[in-house]
Amino acid sequence: MNPRTLTVLEYDKILSRVAAHCSFSAGAELASSLLPSDDLVTIRERLAETDEAYRLLEQKSDISFGGAHDVRPLLEKAERRAMLLPLDLLEIKGTLIRARSLRNTLTRLEHAFPHLADMAYNLEPCAHLISEIGRCVNDRGEVVDAASSELARVRQDLRIAQERLLSTLDRLVQNPNVKPYLQDALVTQRQGRYVIPVRAEHKGQIDGIVHDHSASGATLFIEPLKVVQQNNAVRELELREEKEVRRILTELTELVADEAHYVRNNVAILAELDFTFAKAKYAYAIEATLPEMVSFRPPRPVAWDEQNGDELQSHHPGSVIDLRRARHPLLDPETVVPIDVYLDDETYIIIITGPNTGGKTVTLKTVGLLTLMAQSGLMIPVVEGSKLSVFDGVYADIGDEQSIEQNLSTFSSHMTHIIEILEEADPHSLVLLDELGAGTDPDEGSALAMALLDNLRDRGITTLATTHYSDLKLYAHNTPGVTNASVEFDVETLSPTYELSIGLPGRSNALTIARRLGLTPVVVDRAEKIVRPGTLQADSLLDEIRRAKQEALRVEEETKARARQAQLLERELRYELANIEETRREVIAETRERMQRELEEIRTEIKQFRRQLTRGGDFQGGDVHSDFLARAETELSRRQMASTETVNREVIMPGDRDEQIARPIEVGDRVWAPSLQASGDVLAIHPKSEEADVQLGNFRIRLPLKRLELRQKAMREEAPDPVRVHGASAHPSPGMELDLRGRRVEESLSQVERYLNEAYLARLPWVRIIHGKGTGALRDAIRAELKHNDLVTETRAGGPGEGGDGVTVVKLIDSQ
């Protein structure tokens, strides 16, 4: 990738934010050195790893790299046979223990996270090295007595010698004849020897060796002669201890050197895992999703009109850009306005026009930066379904870069960079040009801009450019392969909306703004007369087209929301019907068992009665009783078979078993919905759409009349309820979800109030408000507002499968 482009698009800031999520220096080092790839297989592999880490963090928040260190410098030291210190060995041990723990965790999850498991399988346990370091060095960085039998013996002797020496000195300092000469009645150490503090003026009173004196000179630290031999013995044992400790540390260092290859490999894999999880954490922080990376489609040749020679179809390179609700990752997520940027099958060059500070440059940077991030294996802040081609190169000329040292103007600086881009770019490149042709005479700049765009178009290079030149709007409209786009401007508030519209050029708002700011009407009217009438008509037409497009987008969004609502209701309904069916089967089974028990009890009583008759011998009427019992047994058998068939038929045919009635369906009728395997009552009929509202359990759902079977006509004795006849929910549903991500707090609160009113009128039992996580300001404001809304009975945060704390589920009061 072009290094200047990486700088212009602020790619290094993204790497810094990813590195901040790394747990140890080796992972941060990988993050800081990350570069985009142009290989589709590599990019998909990187994204798959990031996606697995993202999903795993959602399920297990205890994935930790605590204890891992970049011990590669220590390994180099060990390979040079330079002795490692106990704390160095503890760092190596902690790193190996963390590697072993992650290996065990990730390999157990191989079925769900195969890429992470493959990385973890390459971690070496190094069990012997961990065991040896743990056996010799404790957690405080001390070599323990058990490290060797020699060390244990030396330290035992040393403790005995020290106790004897200290006992002798303690008796000396407590001696009444010696105590007056001492500064303090204590024993201390100087230069590795045990001494007592003697006042300088009494130094001749105690025979011994002076090892040190205090800063003031008032105290001398003297080793009494009577303990010199004992001090010598202690010192000799201390030297033996130090020698044995060094021998143990040397052996451990050699063991580390022998295992250095495996330890170094573990550090590299831990760094890769740490970096992968850092990418996932960053994706979670910016609410990113996984883009679909695709290869270039086969290029399409140019098509010409044979009659007049006009070009009908441009040389499309096959590039794909489809970024949905894209947000610049470096802007405040609470205020940034999402945009949709896409290329259709006919277009590969977009010319963006609009007012200054309206978001044209941000659009270029968003597309360029998200492309670099995706090709680096990073998830990007877009909604699901976004797609991108893999570009071999991304080139950007953005910003005003005057060079005083090189005596270059703004125009010259832009031209210098554009010349470099034209030399390096090819049909598999993405070119971003800001304020094309600016900084010089408008006529010449406009002509030069068109010539540059023609060159890029003829070479089949995907390009996004911004401009203020009106001639380029006509160029984009009339040239195959090129389309207009614009950033919106609100003339009411005199501020940009930062929304991008593909297919429409930006209109000039100068006269409208001047009039709203209070410029004398005479001047504005005079200016309107000077401007070409066609320009004003075009601006008016653009306004109408823009309004029509916004209305179409609104209808499309409502349609999608209703589709999502229908899918959600269908899932819930199927779940409830499954529970009902399970309960029904249990009741049937229980009834069958009860009937069987009762029949067996009756049969047992009949048998007992027959035996009593047999034991009683002949008596008048005996034949009559026997004949009666025989008929009773036959009837019981018949009823048992009939009840079994009935129960089996109930199990096999869930729902109503009544035959279909060939009559028109009306309000109040009971109908059967074969697609849902459920029956319900008709609440309302919609003749125009040939649909009916049906109450299925706790749910009200609209179904086509042709998908319903009439099973029972409604009773007509009572006057029909006008509410039911005309539909209990005459108000259209606003959808089960309200997505407020990217909107401002004030705008969101008013929208929430309108949405809740519409949801209540539509008799929705509950709704979901999507506000995202971000800084939490939008979430807190919405939840505070919901507490005071009379239509709300209960609120809660979304569950694990509902969006978590980025969603608030709202239960509404019953509108019956």
Side-chain angles (χ1 to χ4, degrees):
M1 290 294 171
N2 185 282
R4 181 178 175 278
T5 296
L6 299 179
T7 301
V8 168
L9 296 179
E10 301 178 288
Y11 178 74
D12 56 322
K13 293 184 179 179
I14 298 295
L15 299 188
S16 298
R17 298 192 178 192
V18 174
H21 288 282
C22 292
S23 298
F24 75 118
S25 58
E29 184 179 325
L30 281 182
S32 300
S33 61
L34 177 65
L35 287 175
S37 171
D38 58 4
D39 180 68
L40 180 59
V41 175
T42 301
I43 293 169
R44 286 177 173 172
E45 187 82 8
R46 289 180 177 179
L47 286 172
E49 293 170 356
T50 306
D51 180 54
E52 287 185 9
Y54 186 90
R55 290 188 289 110
L56 183 56
L57 286 177
E58 285 186 323
Q59 299 178 20
K60 292 174 66 69
S61 59
D62 58 346
I63 298 295
S64 171
F65 290 83
H69 299 84
D70 186 1
V71 296
R72 287 174 293 189
L74 298 179
L75 299 179
E76 294 176 1
K77 184 178 177 181
E79 288 174 328
R80 296 195 308 268
R81 293 303 188 263
M83 188 185 72
L84 298 178
L85 299 177
L87 293 179
D88 298 335
L89 294 168
L90 286 181
E91 286 192 3
I92 294 173
K93 173 190 169 187
T95 301
L96 294 177
I97 289 176
R98 178 51 56 192
R100 182 177 63 186
S101 173
L102 285 172
R103 187 180 194 276
N104 294 337
T105 298
L106 297 178
T107 53
R108 284 198 305 267
L109 303 172
E110 181 180 9
H111 63 286
F113 308 98
H115 291 85
L116 297 178
D118 286 345
M119 297 167 66
Y121 272 123
N122 293 319
L123 291 168
E124 295 291 338
C126 297
H128 178 63
L129 181 56
I130 295 174
S131 175
E132 280 301 296
I133 295 177
R135 185 182 65 82
C136 297
V137 183
N138 63 22
D139 293 339
R140 296 188 299 274
E142 301 168 342
V143 178
V144 298
D145 296 357
S148 72
S149 57
E150 174 64 18
L151 182 61
R153 184 167 52 254
V154 169
R155 284 183 172 173
Q156 177 65 22
D157 293 343
L158 177 60
R159 281 191 289 270
I160 294 173
Q162 286 175 333
E163 289 174 0
R164 290 174 179 173
L165 172 60
L166 292 174
S167 178
T168 302
L169 288 173
D170 185 59
R171 290 195 301 271
L172 182 63
V173 297
Q174 297 300 329
N175 190 324
N177 297 325
V178 176
K179 203 169 187 179
Y181 307 131
L182 302 180
Q183 196 71 262
D184 292 296
L186 56 82
V187 177
T188 186
Q189 275 190 312
R190 285 296 185 275
Q191 301 177 4
R193 311 286 289 191
Y194 287 91
V195 296
I196 58 176
V198 179
R199 293 178 181 177
E201 62 271 21
H202 299 302
K203 64 179 180 178
Q205 302 298 323
I206 298 178
D207 296 332
I209 302 170
V210 177
H211 287 280
D212 198 2
H213 59 78
S214 64
S216 64
T219 304
L220 300 177
F221 298 96
I222 297 176
E223 177 186 2
L225 290 178
K226 63 170 60 178
V227 297
V228 169
Q229 292 301 325
Q230 288 179 294
N231 250 327
N232 289 342
V234 168
R235 186 57 183 155
E236 289 175 4
L237 289 170
E238 288 176 344
L239 293 174
R240 286 175 58 189
E241 178 194 24
E242 292 175 7
K243 181 180 179 181
E244 183 61 15
V245 168
R246 290 183 63 84
R247 185 192 67 79
I248 294 169
L249 293 178
T250 300
E251 286 185 356
L252 291 175
T253 300
E254 292 174 353
L255 184 58
V256 170
D258 294 340
E259 301 281 337
H261 171 73
Y262 303 108
V263 179
R264 188 176 287 109
N265 177 69
N266 282 358
V267 172
I269 296 173
L270 283 174
E272 190 70 32
L273 285 169
D274 182 32
F275 169 50
T276 302
F277 278 95
K279 291 190 293 182
K281 293 173 185 175
Y282 180 62
Y284 190 80
I286 63 173
E287 299 182 16
T289 62
L290 193 70
E292 181 182 353
M293 303 303 294
V294 298
S295 58
F296 273 65
R297 297 190 297 262
R300 190 179 57 191
V302 178
W304 302 89
D305 188 330
E306 296 180 357
Q307 294 183 354
N308 54 27
D310 292 339
E311 183 180 341
L312 300 176
Q313 178 177 286
S314 63
H315 179 72
H316 198 297
S319 54
V320 176
I321 295 178
D322 185 6
L323 298 175
R324 305 176 184 181
R325 310 297 291 168
R327 293 171 282 113
H328 195 290
L330 298 178
L331 297 180
D332 184 357
E334 296 292 337
T335 59
V336 64
V337 177
I339 58 174
D340 294 324
V341 185
Y342 52 87
L343 301 175
D344 56 32
D345 294 338
E346 308 294 332
T347 304
Y348 58 96
I349 295 179
I350 299 177
I351 298 177
I352 307 172
T353 53
N356 287 325
T357 70
K360 300 190 301 297
T361 303
V362 172
T363 297
L364 295 186
K365 287 189 172 183
T366 300
V367 174
L369 185 55
L370 296 193
T371 300
L372 296 177
M373 290 174 62
Q375 294 188 206
S376 300
L378 296 171
M379 299 168 73
I380 57 178
V382 294
V383 300
E384 293 181 357
S386 297
K387 299 179 182 179
L388 278 172
S389 289
V390 176
F391 294 96
D392 291 345
V394 178
Y395 302 91
D397 176 55
I398 298 175
D400 181 5
E401 298 186 12
Q402 297 187 51
S403 174
I404 298 177
E405 294 180 357
Q406 300 180 19
N407 194 26
L408 294 178
S409 66
T410 299
F411 176 77
S412 300
S413 176
H414 279 298
M415 281 299 103
T416 301
H417 296 144
I418 290 174
I419 291 170
E420 295 175 356
I421 291 173
L422 292 177
E423 291 175 351
E424 297 181 16
D426 61 30
H428 280 191
S429 299
L430 173 63
V431 174
L432 309 169
L433 302 174
D434 190 26
E435 298 295 349
L436 187 60
T440 187
D441 177 76
D443 292 336
E444 293 183 357
S446 176
L448 184 59
M450 277 189 273
L452 289 170
L453 290 171
D454 266 337
N455 181 277
L456 293 167
R457 188 180 72 91
D458 293 342
R459 294 166 60 187
I461 298 175
T462 306
T463 304
L464 274 72
T466 68
T467 184
H468 281 290
Y469 294 137
S470 297
D471 291 343
L472 291 184
K473 302 177 188 178
L474 297 176
Y475 169 83
H477 180 74
N478 297 323
T479 306
V482 187
T483 190
N484 276 301
S486 59
V487 287
E488 303 288 347
F489 187 86
D490 189 342
V491 295
E492 298 296 328
T493 62
L494 299 181
S495 61
T497 65
Y498 305 107
E499 295 178 355
L500 180 70
S501 295
I502 303 289
L504 293 177
R507 58 161 296 185
S508 172
N509 295 288
L511 298 181
T512 304
I513 293 173
R515 191 184 298 276
R516 287 189 57 80
L517 289 176
L519 185 62
T520 303
V522 176
V523 176
V524 179
D525 294 341
R526 176 61 179 164
E528 289 179 345
K529 293 178 181 178
I530 296 174
V531 175
R532 290 174 294 179
T535 302
L536 296 177
Q537 292 176 2
D539 284 347
S540 177
L541 181 60
L542 282 175
D543 273 345
E544 293 180 9
I545 295 174
R546 184 170 286 108
R547 285 193 294 269
K549 183 176 181 180
Q550 289 173 347
E551 178 64 19
L553 290 175
R554 185 189 65 79
V555 172
E556 181 184 7
E557 190 63 31
E558 289 183 357
T559 303
K560 291 180 179 178
R562 291 183 178 179
R564 289 194 299 268
Q565 175 189 2
Q567 292 174 356
L568 182 62
L569 287 174
E570 182 178 358
R571 286 197 301 269
E572 293 178 348
L573 184 58
R574 288 188 179 278
Y575 178 75
E576 183 171 334
L577 288 175
N579 288 337
I580 293 173
E581 176 63 17
E582 182 65 25
T583 303
R584 193 176 67 84
R585 289 176 180 271
E586 292 176 358
V587 170
I588 291 173
E590 183 181 348
T591 303
R592 179 195 295 140
E593 293 177 1
R594 186 174 66 252
M595 292 171 60
Q596 186 69 28
R597 287 195 304 270
E598 291 176 355
L599 289 172
E600 289 297 331
E601 291 174 358
I602 295 174
R603 180 174 283 107
T604 299
E605 292 180 0
I606 291 175
K607 289 180 180 179
Q608 291 176 352
F609 190 36
R610 185 184 294 278
R611 284 196 297 268
Q612 291 175 2
L613 288 177
T614 303
R615 286 196 300 269
D618 294 334
F619 62 93
Q620 186 178 3
D623 292 338
V624 175
H625 287 295
S626 298
D627 184 55
F628 170 76
L629 292 176
R631 290 199 307 272
E633 283 186 323
T634 302
E635 180 64 17
L636 283 175
S637 298
R638 187 189 68 78
R639 292 190 180 184
Q640 182 177 7
M641 292 179 61
S643 65
T644 301
E645 291 176 359
T646 300
V647 169
N648 289 337
R649 196 158 55 245
E650 287 284 354
V651 173
I652 295 172
M653 300 177 61
D656 290 350
R657 300 189 313 280
D658 299 333
E659 295 298 325
Q660 180 176 356
I661 302 174
R663 291 176 62 183
I665 296 175
E666 299 176 338
V667 173
D669 292 347
R670 186 154 188 85
V671 295
W672 169 255
S675 61
L676 300 177
Q677 289 292 294
S679 60
D681 297 326
V682 177
L683 301 180
I685 301 293
H686 305 279
K688 291 185 178 180
S689 61
E690 296 185 350
E691 293 176 322
D693 291 346
V694 183
Q695 188 75 34
L696 299 175
N698 294 329
F699 296 93
R700 177 192 181 102
I701 189 167
R702 181 171 296 185
L703 296 170
L705 287 170
K706 63 183 180 181
R707 290 174 54 188
L708 299 175
E709 298 177 4
L710 179 61
R711 292 299 172 86
Q712 182 179 350
K713 295 297 292 181
M715 300 297 293
R716 302 299 178 187
E717 288 79 0
E718 298 178 1
D721 186 351
V723 175
R724 285 189 175 273
V725 172
H726 295 92
S729 179
H731 195 281
S733 170
M736 297 294 290
E737 294 181 349
L738 175 63
D739 192 343
L740 298 174
R741 288 176 292 186
R743 300 187 183 276
R744 299 177 178 86
V745 172
E746 295 78 7
E747 177 187 0
S748 298
L749 293 180
S750 61
Q751 191 166 350
V752 166
E753 184 176 3
R754 290 196 302 272
Y755 174 71
L756 292 179
N757 288 336
E758 294 176 358
Y760 170 76
L761 293 174
R763 293 179 57 195
L764 297 182
W766 54 269
V767 294
R768 298 170 69 244
I769 298 178
I770 305 173
H771 42 64
K773 300 184 176 81
T775 61
L778 181 58
R779 176 196 62 207
D780 295 341
I782 289 174
R783 290 181 178 176
E785 182 69 19
L786 292 175
K787 291 181 180 178
H788 304 292
N789 194 302
D790 295 336
L791 301 178
V792 176
T793 62
E794 181 183 343
T795 63
R796 63 174 176 83
E802 298 177 311
D805 209 30
V807 171
T808 297
V809 180
V810 183
K811 185 176 180 182
L812 302 176
I813 63 175
D814 191 355
S815 61
Q816 291 286 355

